[in-house]
Amino acid sequence: MPDEFAWPWALLALPLPWLAQRLLPAARRIGHAALRVPYAQQLSMLHAPGPARGALRWMGVVPLLAWAALCIAAARPQQLGEAVQPPRTGRDLVLAVDLSGSMQQQDMRLGGQTVDRLTAIKAVLDDFLDRRRGDRVGLIVFGSQAYAVTPLTFDLRSVKQQLDDSVVGLAGQETAIGDAIALAVKRMRAQPSDALSTPTPVNNDSKVLIVLTDGVSNAGAVPPLKAAELATAEHIRIHTIGFGGDGDDDMSALFGMAMSMPGMGSDIDEQTLSAIATQTGGRYFRARDTDALAQIYAELDRLEPVQQVGQLERPRTELYPWPLAASLLLIGIGLLSTRRFA
């Protein structure tokens, strides 16, 4: 039995012979014969008992069966195979987010309120991740050390959840940019498979790392430029983002008063971040507020466009040749039977 019909509306033609018999006017009777039939004697056998009458009745059924088979063939019966997931062809994209102590500096405006840098980053990244469906995304947080919080996965909801749960100081108070890059290189080199499907290996141009920091690398075992060399060897493109207000504007609201926060300036090693991006074929961006950060991620969407994920597909096998052949066979039987009784 077929699993479905491609053109099921063709089955509406099945009752046409019955409707024609019921609705079309009968032939008008006239005084003399309108048509002389040379085999009138054979037709008289319809009223005769015995095998001959049964054979002629069968001849009346054959055209109906042929018509039914022809309608079924026209509806294109199909048999469906097992569902097949087309290969995923999106990017491997890792986000490395700075959680050092300076990220709690409240010098950002979000929704008309003053918020700390990490809160502003979460808001912008949440929207960015919504547009990355089709990419396999991982999350790394770093401070004094670097930690892989989320492996490369198509489940962007879990990435967003882990990002929302991150807090300043979770990885230490200092900034280990080189360790974060080295850990990202290791993760993308391994390319773990997604739990729900096995994606095809991405090509060399589809591995991207985005490093977001507001400070200077002052911790870790791997120097940032050395880590950039490792990324270059693995064909990983790195985009770096320096985030935070200018040093003279670093303020925090305390009891309704603007007060400076000692030791929490926003000195950014732009030279190193730019060198990392240039060496790996990426770009360096500077964001001083949430609007600028949102524009940067919009630019990253343009530089690293998402390749859409294919939908589940089930291969179809056409079965119409069988009812079509049956219809032709029945028509042939009807013609032979008519000639036999002619």
Side-chain angles (χ1 to χ4, degrees):
M1 293 293 293
D3 294 316
E4 67 176 27
F5 292 94
W7 299 336
W9 47 264
L11 297 176
L12 296 176
L14 279 172
L16 282 181
W18 180 82
L19 291 174
Q21 182 182 14
R22 291 282 182 176
L23 300 180
L24 293 179
R28 187 176 56 178
R29 296 181 178 273
I30 56 179
H32 57 85
L35 179 66
R36 294 183 181 275
V37 182
Y39 44 89
Q41 183 178 358
Q42 286 85 344
L43 291 178
S44 64
M45 296 173 62
L46 290 172
H47 304 284
R53 184 176 62 180
L56 290 174
R57 285 181 177 177
W58 167 247
M59 287 175 57
V61 176
V62 168
L64 296 177
L65 293 177
W67 174 255
L70 189 61
C71 290
I72 293 174
R76 286 183 58 196
Q78 297 176 335
Q79 188 172 23
L80 302 180
E82 294 296 327
V84 176
Q85 173 69 58
R88 299 177 184 261
T89 58
R91 286 168 171 72
D92 275 351
L93 188 149
V94 174
L95 298 172
V97 179
D98 188 350
L99 296 184
S100 62
S102 58
M103 292 295 288
Q104 65 184 331
Q105 180 77 339
Q106 295 190 355
D107 59 355
M108 294 293 123
R109 301 288 295 177
L110 184 64
Q113 297 182 346
T114 301
V115 298
D116 60 79
R117 295 172 182 174
L118 182 59
T119 300
I121 287 173
K122 289 178 180 179
V124 176
L125 280 179
D126 188 80
D127 182 62
F128 175 73
L129 287 172
D130 283 338
R131 301 193 299 270
R132 303 311 300 185
R133 300 195 181 279
D135 284 350
R136 190 165 60 167
V137 180
L139 176 63
I140 289 175
V141 298
F142 64 96
S144 303
Q145 295 178 314
Y147 299 96
V149 178
T150 304
L152 287 165
T153 177
F154 292 106
D155 184 7
L156 301 186
R157 182 184 302 177
S158 65
V159 178
K160 294 168 65 174
Q161 183 62 51
Q162 292 296 332
L163 179 63
D164 290 340
D165 293 340
S166 300
V167 296
V168 173
L170 181 65
Q173 298 295 321
E174 298 178 304
T175 306
I177 297 175
D179 284 8
I181 295 175
L183 181 57
V185 171
K186 179 180 179 180
R187 287 289 176 174
M188 281 190 275
R189 180 191 298 154
Q191 290 186 3
S193 297
D194 184 75
L196 300 179
S197 63
T198 304
T200 55
V202 294
N203 57 51
N204 291 336
D205 293 331
S206 299
K207 294 185 287 187
V208 178
L209 169 63
I210 299 175
V211 179
L212 195 148
T213 182
D214 71 339
V216 179
S217 184
N218 54 12
V222 183
L225 295 180
K226 181 63 177 178
E229 293 179 8
L230 299 176
T232 301
E234 293 296 326
H235 305 282
I236 298 173
R237 185 164 49 255
I238 302 178
H239 300 293
T240 55
I241 303 174
F243 183 62
D246 294 325
D248 295 337
D249 297 329
D250 291 336
M251 309 293 286
S252 177
L254 181 62
F255 303 112
M257 301 175 61
M259 300 184 64
S260 299
M261 300 295 291
M264 298 183 63
S266 56
D267 293 336
I268 298 175
D269 189 355
E270 296 192 55
Q271 183 177 357
T272 299
L273 293 178
S274 180
I276 292 171
T278 301
Q279 183 174 339
T280 60
R283 288 184 57 181
Y284 167 67
F285 301 91
R286 178 72 170 92
R288 291 176 172 81
D289 52 41
T290 52
D291 289 339
L293 185 60
Q295 292 175 9
I296 289 170
Y297 279 112
E299 176 67 10
L300 288 174
D301 280 337
R302 186 187 68 81
L303 294 175
E304 309 291 349
V306 175
Q307 301 181 32
Q308 297 297 325
V309 180
Q311 299 296 321
L312 284 174
E313 296 178 355
R314 298 185 68 180
R316 288 173 166 80
T317 302
E318 295 284 354
L319 301 179
Y320 74 86
W322 297 99
L324 180 60
S327 177
L328 295 176
L329 179 62
L330 289 169
I331 292 174
I333 292 174
L335 292 175
L336 292 176
S337 300
T338 302
R339 179 173 297 180
R340 176 184 174 186
F341 288 99

